[in-house]
């Protein structure tokens, strides 16, 4: 990618965040951008880092490790989010490497995470992914099973801070954002990870506290 476009794109995203916050009566620092670096080379992450970006999202444990292993040591303030589906047998690796795991979506994964947390003394922050459009094949807990999963999490001693969703492709995301915000409110959860490159302004209007921005920041993925 061209180095000089990243600062411009970042500036533009910051402007949109600020404007969306102002329009919905929110403070700009109530929304945090997760820079989604999946499919981007280490060089792109380095450029983002030079701009002051400290919060990154990856969807695979292995890719995150190969890209961020060195940076972890160099960047004490790095905040790494896992935003892709997590297999139970990789729970420990994820707990060891990520600061926030956004994709807790089933009881067996909750148990594996609790075990990994006990074994490693690391305590990543956790969000539950909700299959907000109730799509077959899509990861995320079904909305009607959310209460049970949260109860399981709390029995296991997990502190779950919020909800995450990916609305169905090709649909208006706004009703889905509103539904996720309603579920979070109903369960007293304060973090909401929703909104990607194409719809983060609407997500902010609906209450997002994390937006996950990939291509609008880095350009197309390899
Ligand atoms: C890839 C990805 C994103 C970023 O998507 P863009 O449209 O490139 O901003 C956000 N969230 C998740 C879960 C993703 O997998």
């Amino acid at each position: 990618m061209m180095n000089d476009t990243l600062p411009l794109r970042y500036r533009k995203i910051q402007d949109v965040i600020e404007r969306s916050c102002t329009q919905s009566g929110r403070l700009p620092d109530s929304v945090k951008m997760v820079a989604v670096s999946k499919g981007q080379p280490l060089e792109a992450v380095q450029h983002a880092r030079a701009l002051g970006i400290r919060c990154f999202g990856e969807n695979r444990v292995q890719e995150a490790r190969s890209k961020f292993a060195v940076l972890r040591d160099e960047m004490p303030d790095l905040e790494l989010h896992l935003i892709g589906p997590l297999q139970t047998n990789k729970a420990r690796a994820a707990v060891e490497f990520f600061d926030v795991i956004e994709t807790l979506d089933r009881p067996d994964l909750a148990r594996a995470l609790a075990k990994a947390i006990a074994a490693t003394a690391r305590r990543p922050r956790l969000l539950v992914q909700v299959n907000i459009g109730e799509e077959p094949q899509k990861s995320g807990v079904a909305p009607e099973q959310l209460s049970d999963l949260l109860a399981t999490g709390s029995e296991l001693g997990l502190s779950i801070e919020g909800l995450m969703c990916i609305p169905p492709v090709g649909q208006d995301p706004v009703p889905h954002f509103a539904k996720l915000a309603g579920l979070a409110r109903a369960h007293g959860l304060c973090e909401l990870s929703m909104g990607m490159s194409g719809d983060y302004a609407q997500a902010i209007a609906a209450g997002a506290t994390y937006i996950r921005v990939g291509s609008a920041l880095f350009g197309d993925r390899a």
Side-chain angles (χ1 to χ4, degrees), residues 3 38 40 49 51 57-58 73 93 147 185 192 197 204:
N3 306 348
K38 70 179 185 199
Q40 300 291 345
R49 179 191 175 190
L51 294 176
E58 287 280 345
D73 297 332
S147 297
R185 216 167 22 245
L192 273 176
S197 290
I204 291 169

Side-chain angles (χ1 to χ4, degrees), residues 16 20 172-174 177 194-195 198-208:
V16 173
S20 308
D172 179 3
V174 171
F177 292 155
M194 54 189 197
D199 54 20
Y200 64 91
Q202 290 137 294
I204 291 169

Side-chain angles (χ1 to χ4, degrees), residues 49-184:
R49 179 191 175 190
L51 294 176
I53 296 172
R54 293 291 177 267
C55 182
F56 293 90
E58 287 280 345
N59 63 343
R60 288 157 181 262
V61 177
Q62 201 46 51
E63 183 180 345
R65 274 171 148 177
S66 64
K67 220 177 289 176
F68 285 89
V70 174
L71 289 174
R72 270 247 85 109
D73 297 332
E74 292 174 7
M75 291 171 68
D77 53 353
L78 174 68
E79 182 178 307
L80 203 52
H81 289 232
L82 179 65
I83 60 169
L86 180 57
Q87 291 172 272
T88 309
N89 64 5
K90 294 203 178 123
R92 175 151 178 166
V95 164
E96 282 170 343
F97 205 70
F98 288 90
D99 303 294
V100 183
I101 295 174
E102 298 200 9
T103 50
L104 169 54
D105 65 353
R106 55 193 195 277
D108 70 331
L109 182 58
R111 283 187 282 274
L113 288 169
K115 205 170 141 193
I117 287 167
T120 58
R122 269 193 50 90
R123 221 164 219 294
R125 301 166 54 209
L126 301 173
L127 306 184
V128 166
Q129 180 176 0
V130 180
N131 183 357
I132 201 71
E134 305 189 53
E135 298 170 277
Q137 315 297 332
K138 192 129 166 192
S139 43
V141 66
E144 66 274 13
Q145 280 162 18
L146 175 62
S147 297
D148 284 352
L149 181 58
L150 292 172
T152 301
S154 105
E155 280 162 28
L156 290 164
L158 298 177
S159 65
I160 293 165
E161 298 185 3
L163 303 178
M164 175 269 213
C165 77
I166 309 170
V169 175
Q171 288 185 19
D172 179 3
V174 171
H176 297 290
F177 292 155
K179 186 172 174 190
L180 194 75
L183 288 171

